[in-house]
Amino acid sequence: MESLIRINNPADISVIVIYFVLVLAVGLWAMYSTNRGTVGGFFLAGRSMVWWPIGASLFASNIGSGHFVGIAGTAAAGGIAIGGFEWNALIFVVILGWLFVPIYVKAGVVTMPEYLKKRFGGKRIQVYLSVLSLILYIFTKISADIFSGAIFIQLAIGLNLYVAIIILLAITALYTITGGLAAVIYTDTLQTFIMVVGSIILTGFAFTEVGGYEAFMQKYMEAIPSNISYGDTQVDPKCYTPRSDAFHIFRDPAGDLPWPGLVFGLSIIALWYWCTDQVIVQRCLSGKNMSHVKAGCILCGYLKLLPMFIIVMPGMISRILYPDVVACVVPEICQRYCGTAVGCTNIAYPKLVVELMPNGLRGLMLSVMLASLMSSLTSIFNSASTLFTMDIYTKIRTRPSEKELMLAGRAFMLVLIGISIAWVPVVQSAQSGQLFDYIQSVTSYLGPPIAAVFLLGVFCKRVNEQGAFWGLIIGLLAGLGRMISEFAYGTGSCVVPSNCPFIICGIHYLYFAIILFGVSAIVILAVSFMTKPIPDVHLYRLCWSLRNSKEERIDLDAEEEQDRSDEKDDESVNEENQEDPGCCRKAYNWFCGLDQQKGPKLSKEEEEALKKKLMDTSEVPLWRNIVNVNGIILLTVAVFCHAYFA
């Protein structure tokens, strides 16, 4: 690693310190002022969020430091097409708010596997999905985010990678483990604001440095590294010259990001990510009412317009300003600059920050990076522990008390953190220079079957448990087959291609997503039509065609629910005769949010009324029309942006 400007001037250091104090203050304030002693409070922020924190939090959970490092890196290597990945979301946040969330709210669920359990019955799908989601979190989100955050710290402060990671995780864990979802959503809002402002300032500096947009387009095409040979071998020119279609989103069907893949394959991954992923949907379920949820989705959509200008283009500018480092092709030189032989595009954005920003602002940008890293980690930790507690732990222990559930969730977070740190070296070597490609390809091998099950589960009531289960299993086997063989052969780089046979690795991962989705959907439908349908009485308000029915739904898991509520009554009798805890115990309970004052015991009727209120999706007509109009405007903007840069 070459030595760089270290962050050692008082301005930067004081900015970073002030920043972290601020974040902890917001976290503690949220902790103090919201209810987190119940499962609904800790995991769903008490269903009381208004639209702007929802929108900001959706955006912040989605844009982690992995985006800053990964997208800017891919952009430096291949141009603006990667921005299409961000714009695809504009369409899917609308689908999420208008089609999926109303169904989830009416079903009255906290987690996505829980919805599948109500919709299909049985336990195996719920457990399968919980375990798979946790695996995906560890392999794509958590480890990639930690890795990219660490690149940043390494470039800026010169700490050892692992020391940096451990400090980061300690601060993050402190307020997630104690604060619950409300703390996460409020800190997210603060961080989104700082992230966007900081990146816009950096974009300004970068464009000034290059000399405006016209100059940027011209110079990017000429950004070629000076060393292009090692020993006697000349590197093939197509490895280091910028692509001729660098300024188009839609590219040749056989190219690096083929347009059919970008339109259809990416939509399947986006459907999985935006409409069925725990991290995203959990933000929406915490909304006050449907209008707030939809408005939050629209805000997130408008925010998603930004990455093209504040991440993708700066990444390309970084290649113009430092072609020898960012665009290096000779393995030995790359190893010297950034410690990876396959290429250094990953350091495009961090390099820009460290070199271009003036003192003080550099500290701000570093804290933004740490912020985005922490915000995605906190949201993932919170959602992962929700999944574990509600879907896996309750299978192991049949009658846990609320307190035990909260403790199990927090203990599980510590385990997750351990696993994630252990996985970092793998990401470090598996990132064939393109972190974002690593994340997207793993997602497109494992996500499509889940997308197929949710899509068919919501919109086709004929689909039943057997169909969904076999669709998931066959899809998983196909995806794992491709993923494992690709990691075994290695992805290689342009200079040293991998020798994986074409039949396995030759199909672009976005095309593979389309094929996998198709296969899973066919299996789901075929098996469902061969087996008995689920009677309508179990499906009221669980799928689109029956979403407005007023009849009483008999849940497929009704017997279990009945047993549970009987146990709860026994439990509350036991709790009434406990003595008062001591002082230390009280402080510890408050810190972990376990000591909520016992509310008055609700009668059965009051409980029913409360449930009805939580499942209510009605909207005030005026606000409904306002969000609908905005939704249409957002879709038009999305189409325009794609067309303009196509």
Side-chain angles (χ1 to χ4, degrees):
M1 297 287 299
E2 300 238 316
S3 70
L4 286 151
I5 311 171
R6 300 268 175 252
I7 290 202
N8 51 11
N9 54 322
D12 283 340
I13 293 170
S14 52
V15 166
I16 294 178
V17 171
I18 294 171
Y19 177 77
F20 277 107
V21 170
L22 205 69
V23 169
L24 279 174
V26 171
L28 287 168
W29 168 78
M31 215 165 116
Y32 189 74
S33 64
T34 54
N35 158 22
R36 53 207 171 95
T38 61
V39 172
F42 183 77
F43 292 134
L44 286 184
R47 284 260 160 103
S48 60
M49 282 291 157
V50 286
W51 62 276
W52 52 273
I54 296 178
S57 176
L58 280 174
F59 181 68
S61 325
N62 166 243
I63 296 260
S65 52
H67 271 67
F68 279 101
V69 170
I71 291 188
T74 306
I80 68 170
I82 197 72
F85 278 69
E86 295 304 291
W87 284 354
N88 196 279
L90 295 178
I91 297 158
F92 280 86
V93 286
V94 175
I95 293 178
L96 166 73
W98 269 257
L99 300 184
F100 282 88
V101 173
I103 299 269
Y104 297 147
V105 171
K106 284 180 175 167
V109 293
V110 178
T111 69
M112 293 297 91
E114 193 185 346
Y115 168 77
L116 287 185
K117 181 173 152 206
K118 276 196 186 332
R119 169 70 180 78
F120 296 119
K123 283 186 180 165
R124 52 189 191 172
I125 294 188
Q126 191 188 9
V127 174
Y128 165 96
L129 190 69
S130 309
V131 173
L132 187 66
S133 306
L134 290 176
I135 292 173
L136 271 169
Y137 285 154
I138 293 170
F139 291 148
T140 60
K141 300 194 169 131
I142 301 182
S143 45
D145 271 350
I146 291 179
F147 166 69
S148 47
I151 289 190
F152 242 92
I153 298 180
Q154 226 180 357
L155 262 184
I157 312 176
L159 277 178
N160 171 312
L161 203 71
Y162 290 95
V163 177
I165 289 173
I166 288 164
I167 296 173
L168 257 182
L169 286 174
I171 299 178
T172 311
L174 184 73
Y175 73 91
T176 318
I177 290 183
T178 53
L181 188 67
V184 173
I185 288 187
Y186 283 117
T187 41
D188 270 359
T189 313
L190 171 77
Q191 289 171 349
T192 310
F193 179 69
I194 296 184
M195 241 155 71
V196 171
V197 172
S199 336
I200 289 173
I201 296 173
L202 179 61
T203 309
F205 275 110
F207 272 113
T208 332
E209 191 74 22
V210 178
Y213 188 73
E214 295 299 319
F216 154 65
M217 290 176 77
Q218 179 203 335
K219 289 182 184 168
Y220 177 76
M221 289 310 188
E222 302 155 6
I224 292 172
S226 47
N227 313 48
I228 49 176
S229 55
Y230 54 106
D232 310 327
T233 43
Q234 272 282 357
V235 177
D236 180 6
K238 76 170 201 299
C239 291
Y240 55 80
T241 42
R243 301 179 53 91
S244 55
D245 54 8
F247 286 93
H248 301 284
I249 290 184
F250 292 134
R251 298 187 172 172
D252 175 39
D256 61 336
L257 281 175
W259 72 261
L262 203 65
V263 176
F264 303 108
L266 187 60
S267 298
I268 290 166
I269 303 176
L271 177 77
W272 168 78
Y273 181 82
W274 287 100
C275 303
T276 70
D277 185 53
Q278 181 68 24
V279 178
I280 299 292
V281 176
Q282 192 177 359
R283 299 284 166 286
C284 288
L285 291 180
S286 66
K288 220 176 198 160
N289 58 33
M290 271 324 292
S291 300
H292 277 291
V293 174
K294 290 178 179 177
C297 289
I298 291 171
L299 174 66
C300 174
Y302 282 125
L303 287 171
K304 287 290 279 181
L305 283 170
L306 294 172
M308 178 64 111
F309 307 104
I310 61 179
I311 303 178
V312 173
M313 290 179 179
M316 295 164 73
I317 291 176
S318 182
R319 170 167 181 160
I320 300 175
L321 301 178
Y322 320 107
D324 291 354
V325 182
V326 176
C328 71
V329 280
V330 182
E332 292 80 59
I333 297 179
C334 292
Q335 188 74 42
R336 196 176 82 226
Y337 280 131
C338 65
T340 323
V342 279
C344 287
T345 51
N346 272 344
I347 67 168
Y349 201 86
K351 180 106 177 127
L352 210 55
V353 173
V354 176
E355 303 276 340
L356 280 189
M357 292 296 247
N359 293 349
L361 276 179
R362 192 183 304 120
L364 181 72
M365 273 316 275
L366 184 77
S367 26
V368 167
M369 285 305 131
L370 301 188
S372 71
L373 170 75
M374 283 167 46
S375 72
S376 9
L377 286 180
T378 43
S379 24
I380 291 163
F381 285 149
N382 186 291
S383 301
S385 70
T386 312
L387 273 181
F388 173 77
T389 326
M390 307 305 253
D391 293 328
I392 299 174
Y393 190 74
T394 47
K395 303 281 176 292
I396 305 168
R397 289 271 317 213
T398 39
R399 33 179 90 189
S401 65
E402 190 113 321
K403 193 176 221 166
E404 186 184 328
L405 282 179
M406 311 286 286
L407 287 172
R410 290 170 169 133
F412 179 69
M413 277 190 203
L414 296 174
V415 175
L416 255 190
I417 290 171
I419 299 175
S420 316
I421 295 180
W423 185 251
V424 168
V426 183
V427 180
Q428 227 177 334
S429 55
Q431 37 120 6
S432 73
Q434 306 276 325
L435 179 73
F436 201 68
D437 276 354
Y438 160 79
I439 303 174
Q440 291 297 341
S441 57
V442 172
T443 311
S444 45
Y445 304 148
L446 302 178
I450 304 178
V453 166
F454 271 96
L455 192 67
L456 293 171
V458 170
F459 292 106
C460 168
K461 67 178 194 183
R462 182 64 180 80
V463 172
N464 61 16
E465 199 266 353
Q466 292 88 337
F469 180 72
W470 289 110
L472 285 172
I473 291 297
I474 288 173
L476 177 72
L477 294 176
L480 278 178
R482 160 90 192 237
M483 186 173 117
I484 291 167
S485 54
E486 191 162 288
F487 279 128
Y489 281 107
T491 38
S493 66
C494 179
V495 185
V496 196
S498 87
N499 51 0
C500 176
F502 179 83
I503 186 80
I504 301 178
C505 306
I507 303 172
H508 192 279
Y509 63 81
L510 290 173
Y511 287 149
F512 185 79
I514 303 176
I515 298 169
L516 189 56
F517 182 81
V519 169
S520 309
I522 291 167
V523 171
I524 294 170
L525 290 170
V527 177
S528 296
F529 278 107
M530 287 178 210
T531 45
K532 282 212 302 280
I534 299 174
D536 275 5
V537 66
H538 299 310
L539 298 181
Y540 293 128
R541 294 181 302 288
L542 287 181
C543 45
W544 190 248
S545 52
L546 300 172
R547 67 187 184 284
N548 293 327
S549 72
K550 296 282 181 282
E551 275 113 274
E552 184 71 22
R553 176 175 74 227
I554 301 175
D555 279 337
L556 288 159
D557 52 357
E559 296 83 30
E560 282 176 58
E561 296 291 320
Q562 195 47 50
D563 296 350
R564 265 191 223 156
S565 60
D566 295 347
E567 282 154 19
K568 275 236 172 86
D569 294 346
D570 304 345
E571 214 176 88
S572 52
V573 174
N574 301 343
E575 277 180 2
E576 276 157 20
N577 5 1
Q578 290 173 347
E579 70 279 9
D580 236 20
C583 267
C584 296
R585 180 80 202 162
K586 264 188 183 150
Y588 163 77
N589 277 351
W590 177 80
F591 184 66
C592 289
L594 295 174
D595 74 324
Q596 298 295 328
Q597 290 67 32
K598 291 275 170 288
K601 192 81 183 87
L602 294 178
S603 67
K604 282 266 190 285
E605 290 76 42
E606 286 171 316
E607 258 185 14
E608 285 303 309
L610 188 68
K611 255 195 180 153
K612 272 221 165 48
K613 186 175 162 267
L614 286 183
M615 293 184 194
D616 178 35
T617 56
S618 57
E619 301 175 70
V620 182
L622 169 73
W623 289 114
R624 188 178 63 212
N625 295 337
I626 291 178
V627 289
N628 285 349
V629 169
N630 272 302
I632 294 165
I633 295 173
L634 180 64
L635 291 176
T636 338
V637 170
V639 173
F640 170 76
C641 288
H642 277 92
Y644 184 75
F645 283 100

